[in-house]
Every structure is written in C-alpha cells, then in structure tokens.
Amino acid sequence: MPEVILYVAASVDGYIARPDGSVDWLETLPEPGSEPESEPEPESGLEPEPGPEPEPAGGQVEDYGYGEFIAGVGVVLMGRVTYEQILSFGVDYPYPGTAGYVFSRNRAWEQDDNVRFVDGDDIGGLVARLKAEQDKNLWLVGGGQLVREFLRLDLIDRIELFILPIILGEGIPLFPPATPQRDLTLTDCRAYATGMAQLTYRRAPVQGDSGVV
C-alpha cells in the first residue's frame, strides 16, 4: 500500500529554510567518507582527540539513502511557494518523470511541464485517488503550511526527518504555529559521521489498531 511520506531536512532548531526561503545551509554538509581538511600538528605534543570514524564510501558518494527513497516515489506533493523556490535554484527540475501536484488556489487546475496545480479543497480525496492509481509512495515535499494541513487531516504515514548539525536562529519552521498534536512512534534512527541524524517516525498506534491499546 503506498504511503504518504514527509521526507525533509531541518536545522537543530527546527527550521527548513532561512527567513527569505534560502536553503544554502543544506550545502554545507560534507559527504561521509570525504577527506577532512588537514589539521595543524598540536604544539603540546599531545595527540588530538580522535573524531568519529567516517562511514565507508565503498567507492560511491553517500546520498543518505535518497536514491533508494526516490526510486520508490511515484508522486511528489508540494505547496506553490516550495515549487517556486525549487525553480528559482536555476537547475533542472529535480523530479522529471514523476507525477507532481502543487497546491495553489490561484493556479488551480493549470498545468506546466512539470506539475499539475490543484486547489486543495479535497486533499483527502486526492490522496486516496493517487494511492489507488499506482503502487509507489507519495512524497510530501513541503512547505510548512501544507505539512500542517496534512497533519490536521492525519494523512502522513511516515516521517523521514534529517537533522543537520546547525542552528539557524530564525527562519521558516517545519511545523508552523497551529500545527495539531500528533503522537508518533520512533521506528529507526541513524547517526552519520558528518553530524547529521536521520529519524524515522510513524503514526503512533491508536486504540483498535492491530489490537494495541
């Protein structure tokens, strides 16, 4: 059964972008297994504290599981601001060949070379139809307001949250004000040598689910 997956990176203090929408800070993370910058010899003659062992690269560039994840995605879902931000990067559209839906009341039911625009009046119905039409997952790309609405409708099956080792201090929050409470179950976590952590959450079982109370 296809799932709706929120797959997103955030700072330690919970921001997904700077106040102006910039995500330049995402590019500061080194690849695991990359050569560290050389450090000066300690003047005291003492050996420096050993750091974390780099993860084996196996001759390939670490992509933090993105390749495997995107191979299982059949639909991308995002808000208009997020879509426009992606186009502003000046690179090729990153999801070619994948069905895309952008939620926008101003451009509802228009279509461009990459996506179809929808008004979002029946998000639950759209998600149910997309799940029934194909067997791959639906990636909820963002932004925060759309994430809040999906949580309000209880449509997110899984969250893949990547925490980068940076505090922005201000910016666009992953979960904006008025986001409803949702109980989650941590099903997996992974720490990378670069300082990034990957946390996998699922909706917590509720009474009546699989006999769990």
Side-chain angles (χ1 to χ4, degrees):
M1 177 70 176
E3 294 184 318
V4 174
I5 302 173
L6 174 60
Y7 183 97
V8 65
S11 64
V12 169
D13 49 346
Y15 295 110
I16 55 176
R18 298 190 189 277
D20 63 356
S22 171
V23 291
D24 59 297
W25 51 280
L26 292 175
E27 302 173 1
T28 63
L29 189 69
E31 298 289 351
S34 59
E35 290 295 327
E37 294 183 3
S38 58
E39 298 181 359
E41 293 293 330
E43 296 179 0
S44 64
L46 298 176
E47 291 296 323
E49 291 285 334
E53 290 293 327
E55 298 194 1
Q60 298 180 354
V61 175
E62 170 67 66
D63 69 351
Y64 302 102
Y66 177 78
E68 180 180 358
F69 166 76
I70 195 64
V73 170
V75 178
V76 293
L77 307 166
M78 68 191 84
R80 178 187 56 81
V81 174
T82 298
Y83 179 59
E84 292 177 351
Q85 183 72 20
I86 290 173
L87 297 182
S88 74
F89 294 154
V91 298
D92 292 338
Y93 180 67
Y95 319 118
T98 302
Y101 291 83
V102 171
F103 294 85
S104 171
R105 295 190 182 280
N106 295 332
R107 299 187 61 183
W109 310 116
E110 294 181 15
Q111 189 168 348
D112 65 13
D113 293 338
N114 305 315
V115 300
R116 176 174 296 177
F117 295 86
V118 292
D119 60 18
D121 285 343
D122 185 17
I123 295 178
L126 175 63
V127 168
R129 177 171 63 82
L130 292 173
K131 283 186 172 183
E133 288 177 349
Q134 42 89 55
D135 58 2
K136 287 191 172 184
N137 294 320
L138 285 62
W139 177 8
L140 178 57
V141 179
Q145 292 185 8
L146 189 60
V147 169
R148 179 178 61 193
E149 186 65 11
F150 268 68
L151 285 170
R152 185 185 70 82
L153 296 170
D154 202 22
L155 293 174
I156 299 177
D157 300 299
R158 189 170 98 222
I159 297 175
E160 295 287 351
L161 178 59
F162 294 81
I163 305 296
L164 273 69
I166 185 173
I167 295 174
L168 295 180
E170 61 178 348
I172 299 173
L174 171 57
F175 301 113
T179 295
Q181 176 179 324
R182 288 291 179 264
D183 295 332
L184 305 171
T185 298
L186 179 67
T187 60
D188 194 16
C189 61
R190 181 176 181 182
Y192 293 89
T194 55
M196 185 176 71
Q198 178 182 354
L199 308 176
T200 302
Y201 292 98
R202 287 190 175 274
R203 286 181 294 187
V206 296
Q207 185 171 357
D209 284 357
S210 304
V212 177
V213 177

